[in-house]
Amino acid sequence: MGPARHPGWLKGLLIGLVLGALILTGGVQHGTTAIEDTYENLKVFTEILSLVQSHYVDEIKSKELMHGAVKGMLETLDPHSSFMPPEAFREMQVETQGAFGGLGIEITVKDRMLTVVAPIEGTPADRADLHAGDRIVRIEQDLTKDMTLMEAVRKLRGPKGTKVTISILREGRSDPFEVTLVREIIEVKSVRSKALADGIFYARVASFQERTGKDLERVLEQGVQGGATALILDLRNDPGGLLSQAVAVSSMFLEKGQLVVYTQGRQKSQDMRFTADSAFSLATLPMVVLVNGGSASASEIVAGAMQDWKRAVILGTKTFGKGSVQTVIPLSDGSGLRLTTAKYFTPKGRSIHNLGIVPDIVVEIPRPEAVAKPQGADARRPATADRPREQKIGDQEGQEVEIGRRDLADPAKDLQLQRAIEILKATRILEKKPDGKSEATAAAK
């Protein structure tokens, strides 16, 4: 077989790829050497593309080949960089608005395995007792090994009322178990709150959406007006979300101008600094932030800023460690490119990525021991999201529940919350002034 002849469209494609690569990498500034290197590397690609077009047993559309090539290229980078076909790109744009179809589960690829970051509170995934760190080894009949995040998302989503069965591998259990979930329209309530005893106010942020900052400000203002003199901010199982909202939340508890987070990338345009700038400030209110292994991304930015400035006591377990910045770039055909372009750093220069935030006070949640599986039909029945709630703790499948995750601000069932309350009470005792009032009380008024 002689050398492959490249059709005209391939030559045009090659030129476009070379120019695109040079623009993205800044290679134009390095002269002809960069151009020659890029051209030589892309030559093999175009030869393979031409051979597939001409000789593959079935006729393949050029668009499918190009999408497959781009997808494979991005898979060599990191789990968070991906190509989104038009339909997937539209779905992604809906997510941050707080309502989307699916299971209510945040996933990522960790150690080359599809991993649960956190279930979203009140969703099918939450009711099925999925845990942060669970490995999803199968979706229906499809193994998830080498499956991209976007592929997994598409398989997990579907019309409201339809079911999907996933196989979970959980730490401490030798064999995977199946969970069947019923898809719903996921409408995430970002902020929930509750006044506790002794002037302690509790606020939980489930995810960082477009209105999280405004919603949190509203409930905190109500809390202070109601006499709150200390705060517990619960970021457990919060998988993150919008960077702008992480900055907005952090700004409420820092002095104006204090650094919240900064990013560093290869390009200078990716080096950014974000400082506190909020008209609403509770910069002196005693505060504890609760985190765990399901706290990721935006949650870790808030926790890291509070910890670096010694603004709050961070209590719980080590966070997830998702500290990279993804830039979403719309493409001309309606598809999108999600590309990791920088990494987050806390105000004192600590990297979050793959390291997470280690709490000031580590408090592990004890898990109930799994009961022995029954014999007969019940032993074969998969766990489902619509089984009675009272069966969830120590049920037939021996699933474990993170205590206190569903009972909003119930110290009797939540060891970490108990410890947070004890710390705030101790802090107020130490801050008491001779007149019996604390510094925090005076500041709040």
Side-chain angles (χ1 to χ4, degrees):
M1 182 185 296
R5 295 180 178 274
H6 306 321
W9 71 269
L10 266 181
K11 291 180 180 177
L13 169 66
L14 177 59
I15 294 171
L17 287 171
V18 171
L19 291 175
L22 290 172
I23 290 170
L24 285 172
T25 62
V28 173
Q29 300 173 359
H30 297 86
T32 57
T33 302
I35 297 175
E36 291 170 356
D37 288 346
T38 305
Y39 184 89
E40 286 300 318
N41 290 330
L42 286 171
K43 218 162 91 172
V44 176
F45 169 77
T46 59
E47 288 174 0
I48 294 172
L49 193 58
S50 178
L51 288 167
V52 171
Q53 283 282 103
S54 302
H55 301 290
Y56 184 67
V57 63
D58 296 319
E59 186 174 350
I60 303 293
K61 294 180 180 179
S62 60
K63 186 174 183 179
E64 293 178 5
L65 289 173
M66 287 305 304
H67 281 187
V70 171
K71 173 184 165 185
M73 174 176 64
L74 294 172
E75 285 177 4
T76 66
L77 302 179
D78 71 298
H80 307 293
S81 296
S82 61
F83 172 72
M84 293 172 284
E87 183 179 352
F89 184 49
R90 287 192 296 271
E91 289 179 3
M92 184 278 300
Q93 290 174 307
V94 171
E95 286 182 15
T96 57
Q97 297 173 2
F100 53 92
L103 305 176
I105 181 173
E106 180 82 8
I107 57 175
T108 189
V109 175
K110 193 170 187 178
D111 300 328
R112 303 186 67 182
M113 296 185 71
L114 195 64
T115 304
V116 175
V117 176
I120 299 172
E121 193 170 296
T123 64
D126 183 47
R127 293 193 295 272
D129 293 334
L130 296 187
H131 297 170
D134 281 349
R135 311 288 185 152
I136 303 175
V137 296
R138 191 187 295 269
I139 302 174
E140 295 293 354
Q141 302 305 313
D142 299 325
L143 291 172
T144 60
K145 184 180 180 182
D146 299 325
M147 187 181 290
T148 67
L149 278 175
M150 294 310 300
E151 286 176 324
V153 168
R154 284 197 293 271
K155 290 180 183 295
L156 291 171
R157 287 184 178 171
K160 176 184 177 182
T162 59
K163 294 183 179 181
V164 60
T165 299
I166 59 178
S167 296
I168 298 293
L169 183 62
R170 179 171 294 165
E171 185 178 357
R173 298 187 62 168
S174 57
D175 299 318
F177 60 92
E178 288 188 344
V179 181
T180 299
L181 304 102
V182 180
R183 297 180 177 99
E184 296 178 0
I185 298 300
I186 307 300
E187 296 181 356
V188 181
K189 187 174 181 180
S190 178
V191 179
R192 299 171 67 192
S193 62
K194 182 178 180 180
L196 303 178
D198 301 312
I200 297 173
F201 192 76
Y202 170 93
R204 167 162 172 71
V205 178
S207 63
F208 288 80
Q209 303 166 7
E210 290 179 352
R211 289 191 51 82
T212 297
K214 292 182 186 278
D215 289 345
L216 182 61
E217 179 179 327
R218 175 176 49 79
V219 300
L220 290 178
E221 194 168 24
Q222 292 172 353
V224 171
Q225 290 174 354
T229 56
L231 172 67
I232 296 173
L233 181 64
D234 191 348
L235 301 179
R236 292 174 296 180
N237 293 309
D238 182 332
L242 299 175
L243 170 62
S244 61
Q245 297 305 300
V247 174
V249 169
S250 300
S251 294
M252 298 178 200
F253 310 113
L254 297 176
E255 298 289 348
K256 194 167 185 176
Q258 284 187 308
L259 182 64
V260 174
V261 65
Y262 68 92
T263 65
Q264 286 186 341
R266 283 181 62 194
Q267 303 296 328
K268 284 295 181 185
S269 61
Q270 297 296 334
D271 294 350
M272 294 179 286
R273 295 170 66 85
F274 300 89
T275 58
D277 185 18
S278 175
F280 177 79
S281 177
L282 296 175
T284 59
L285 201 68
M287 181 176 171
V288 173
V289 178
L290 299 178
V291 297
N292 65 2
S295 306
S297 188
S299 300
E300 295 173 292
I301 289 173
V302 175
M306 299 301 103
Q307 190 176 56
D308 276 8
W309 289 113
K310 301 189 185 305
R311 173 61 188 86
V313 174
I314 312 300
L315 185 147
T317 55
K318 191 173 84 166
T319 62
F320 190 83
K322 198 279 184 182
S324 58
V325 182
Q326 280 69 51
T327 300
V328 177
I329 306 166
L331 303 177
S332 59
D333 65 347
S335 58
L337 172 64
R338 187 200 302 265
L339 191 65
T340 300
T341 53
K343 292 181 179 179
Y344 293 121
F345 293 85
T346 69
K348 303 302 181 184
R350 294 183 294 152
S351 174
I352 296 171
H353 197 55
N354 292 330
L355 299 173
I357 300 294
V358 178
D360 302 308
I361 300 175
V362 175
V363 178
E364 300 279 354
I365 288 288
R367 297 186 183 275
E369 294 183 3
V371 299
K373 291 186 179 181
Q375 302 298 315
D378 282 344
R380 295 189 298 271
R381 183 180 62 170
T384 61
D386 52 1
R387 282 165 61 185
R389 292 291 292 274
E390 59 268 18
Q391 293 182 356
K392 290 303 181 183
I393 298 182
D395 69 0
Q396 287 94 331
E397 294 299 315
Q399 293 190 56
E400 301 160 323
V401 175
E402 187 169 341
I403 302 299
R405 188 163 57 130
R406 290 166 187 78
D407 299 296
L408 181 66
D410 187 351
K413 300 179 180 180
D414 190 336
L415 179 62
Q416 291 170 338
L417 183 58
Q418 289 176 26
R419 295 291 179 267
I421 292 171
E422 291 169 2
I423 288 169
L424 289 174
K425 287 182 177 180
T427 300
R428 287 195 303 199
I429 291 172
L430 293 174
E431 290 182 347
K432 283 284 187 182
K433 298 170 68 177
D435 61 3
K437 295 181 179 180
S438 69
E439 296 287 350
T441 305
K445 293 181 178 179

